[in-house]
Amino acid sequence: MLLSAVSFTAMNLLVKYLAHFGGGQLVFFRAVGSLFFTMSYLLYHKISILGNQKKLLIYRGLAGVTSMGLFFMSVNYLPIGSAVSLRYISPIFATILAVFFLRERVKPIQWLFFLMAFGGVVMIKGFDHNINSFGLILVLGSALFSGVVYVLINKIGHGDHPVVIVNYFMWISVVIGAILSAFNWTTPVGKEWILLLSLGVFGYFGQLFMTKAFQSQATNKVVSLKYVEVIFTIVAGVFWFADSYPFLSLIGTLLVITGLILNIWFRRK
């Protein structure tokens, strides 16, 4: 899980550094970099690329690319640490959506944890003058569509191989990213080609390491380490981009993480 957090942190920092390329182009290169791994895996293991539940797989891909695109756009307006921490409220949206579409039950105490996390969001917005309102809308939209992804993956269940699901997501991202970037293409120069393709590499290994951690026998012990990514990104953002975070804004970030971790622990108990 720590390796996953490091990989995702590296991807987040590169997204911020390369933000001038625009959301569509970042989505395109993020997907191309990961497709090398997903396609190689499916072809080597002779797994059908088309999958079984094509409609749900397409919906999952569309929701995923929307979430990713909105997040990539938001880093133009927000400190990278704030963008990552705000996007992490997606489990709240996922739970609310699951109540309506999957008929899942939510215990009253879970709503208390969600309220704590939303209180943290209010604190981040209220006490950090670097939080742009448009950027906040973008990253909350990203979190919402990320919640939709969780619900769709739950709906897909074990009917399709996990790599098939990711592969659909990457192909749809390549197509949509290519269409969007065609209208505003910026040609990379020198090392920028490597950095752009690295987005997909770090994203792929971040997902891989996280999946391996969840498959281990110690899931309850490592699940909270997922949120170390927020801390890594905030610290790295301070040194790389000279981001600054007011004390009460950091308290708000802590409230968001605490509320989400308590919800995870309670559900698993």
Side-chain angles (χ1 to χ4, degrees), residues 29-55:
F29 280 103
R30 160 72 173 89
V32 168
S34 291
L35 266 180
F36 171 80
F37 298 100
T38 58
M39 287 297 294
S40 299
Y41 181 94
L42 294 175
L43 293 172
Y44 179 78
H45 292 279
K46 298 179 179 178
I47 299 171
S48 172
I49 296 172
L50 295 177
N52 302 313
Q53 306 169 85
K54 298 176 182 62
K55 186 179 291 187

Side-chain angles (χ1 to χ4, degrees), residues 144-198:
L144 173 60
F145 278 97
S146 186
V148 173
V149 168
Y150 292 147
V151 172
L152 287 169
I153 289 177
N154 190 301
K155 197 81 172 173
I156 293 169
H158 297 288
D160 278 290
H161 194 284
V163 180
V164 172
I165 300 173
V166 175
N167 196 57
Y168 257 83
F169 172 32
M170 291 300 104
W171 272 113
I172 290 172
S173 298
V174 163
V175 173
I176 293 179
I179 293 171
L180 293 176
S181 58
F183 296 101
N184 189 27
W185 177 266
T186 301
T187 302
V189 179
K191 67 177 182 179
E192 289 178 338
W193 286 103
I194 298 173
L195 295 177
L196 284 165
L197 290 171
S198 296

